Amino acid sequence: MKSIFVATLMLVAGAGRLAAADLPGKAKPVAAADPAPLFFVNDNRLTYAYQFAGTQPGTPGTTAKQVYAFTHFDAWAYGTNFINLLLEQSDHHAPANPCPVIGTNCAGYSEFYGLIRSTFGFNQIFNTKVFSVGPLQNISLEVGVDGQTANSFPAFATRKAVAGLQFAFNLPYNGYFNIAPLYHKQWDHNAYYTPAFAGPFPDVPDGSVEYRGSWAVEMN
């Protein structure tokens, strides 16, 4: 009986506290709103592929390749970010430099490629809807870089930079179409550019070339 009596007192005391909290004049606490998330979309993917008969410029025949890739996409308060990183590993049929004889047991070459694109929406930056007209959802500043390098004999290396405007259109059924005219600048290195190979750039002693700026159009 003692345990039952104690339990009853606890219930009564608890009920008394609840009643007191509900009396007039007692302000009820308001729960704080959850902060807005930094990213509305955050998607990351890691993939692996195997090519049984890949090819490589300057290398006769085919080579098996292992391909590792990482892709990231996010959308945040002021725009989007896209990153794609790719690593290729060939077998001995496409050897790394130096290798005395192609096709022997020299280690295969490795090639890395990376691409980054970021957009900054004018509607978000200026807190307006001026840049949304009809199917046009937004206009954004787009900037990005590309990079590629390989330890093969030609020693391919590429650097690119782009900047311009992206026009984002809404399509039916939750689709979209983005088009971006971009200023494009590129720098390359290639052993075949050197005079030793009578390449298209005989006046480039070290195989490095800087191209004049041009225009490119990217769509997705």
Side-chain angles (χ1 to χ4, degrees):
M1 291 299 294
K2 182 179 180 181
S3 60
I4 297 175
F5 178 70
V6 173
T8 304
L9 288 178
M10 291 177 65
L11 289 173
V12 171
R17 286 196 297 269
L18 290 174
D22 293 334
L23 288 176
K26 294 287 186 177
K28 295 182 179 180
V30 179
D34 292 333
L38 180 61
F39 298 103
F40 306 117
V41 178
N42 191 341
D43 184 77
N44 299 281
R45 303 185 184 194
L46 184 64
T47 59
Y48 170 82
Y50 188 89
Q51 297 180 349
F52 293 92
T55 59
Q56 172 65 24
T59 301
T62 60
T63 174
K65 290 185 179 183
Q66 300 183 72
V67 184
Y68 306 86
F70 171 75
T71 303
H72 166 85
F73 174 79
D74 69 67
W76 64 301
Y78 293 98
T80 62
N81 297 290
F82 175 74
I83 301 173
N84 187 44
L85 306 177
L86 192 72
L87 176 64
E88 293 186 2
Q89 177 64 54
S90 297
D91 67 9
H92 64 275
H93 291 98
N97 190 45
C99 182
V101 180
I102 294 177
T104 59
N105 288 326
C106 296
Y109 86 97
S110 300
E111 181 176 355
F112 174 81
Y113 173 76
L115 177 148
I116 301 175
R117 294 290 184 272
S118 295
T119 64
F120 302 89
F122 290 168
N123 279 335
Q124 290 80 8
I125 292 174
F126 299 108
N127 193 24
T128 181
K129 294 294 184 182
V130 172
F131 301 96
S132 297
V133 180
L136 178 65
Q137 183 221 355
N138 203 357
I139 300 177
S140 304
L141 171 67
E142 180 173 337
V143 294
V145 293
D146 295 38
Q148 182 180 17
T149 185
N151 62 351
S152 58
F153 171 76
F156 300 114
T158 297
R159 291 169 294 159
K160 302 178 185 178
V162 296
L165 296 178
Q166 182 195 77
F167 299 86
F169 296 91
N170 285 329
L171 297 178
Y173 306 106
N174 295 323
Y176 68 90
F177 174 70
N178 299 338
I179 182 169
L182 303 171
Y183 179 76
H184 174 274
K185 182 70 174 176
Q186 181 170 333
W187 300 262
D188 273 357
H189 177 273
N190 191 327
Y192 294 126
Y193 291 167
T194 61
F197 291 93
F201 303 98
D203 297 326
V204 182
D206 63 352
S208 297
V209 178
E210 178 180 348
Y211 295 97
R212 291 190 297 269
S214 61
W215 290 94
V217 176
E218 294 186 352
M219 296 176 287
N220 61 65

